[in-house]
Amino acid sequence: MKRKNSTGDSFFAWDGDVLIVNILGKPSAARDAIGKVKGTQLKVSVTAAPVAGKATDHMVRFLAPLFGVAASDIEVAFGRMNVNKQLRIKAPKMLPSVFAQRSLLSDED
């Protein structure tokens, strides 16, 4: 039985005030950056090496201020030691521009 993606055909979804985001991580990158959407995942590059979950921890600390939350408000639902991961961000106060662009596109459907 195939597991249903909780974000459907998008890289993100809302569960009340929690933002669920599917991530395709790229560790050991030249710089920390939010990249483009790839299918149902958002590419996020981080400079940290993929050793014992340190790249994921670094990613959470990098993303927290971009969403206007503390790092403790971001839960790694799965994929802490994998490039494919899902984050649950509690009550984000702001959204990076890639979310606004995708929301505008889905409004036109």
Side-chain angles (χ1 to χ4, degrees), residues 15-32:
D15 181 10
D17 69 343
V18 175
L19 177 63
I20 302 168
V21 185
N22 293 327
I23 301 287
L24 174 61
K26 182 178 186 310
S28 302
R31 63 187 180 96
D32 297 333

Side-chain angles (χ1 to χ4, degrees), residues 25-34 44-51 54-62:
K26 182 178 186 310
S28 302
R31 63 187 180 96
D32 297 333
I34 292 179
V44 178
S45 303
V46 293
T47 56
V51 178
K54 290 183 190 287
T56 299
D57 295 343
H58 181 86
M59 180 183 295
V60 167
R61 289 190 304 273
F62 163 65

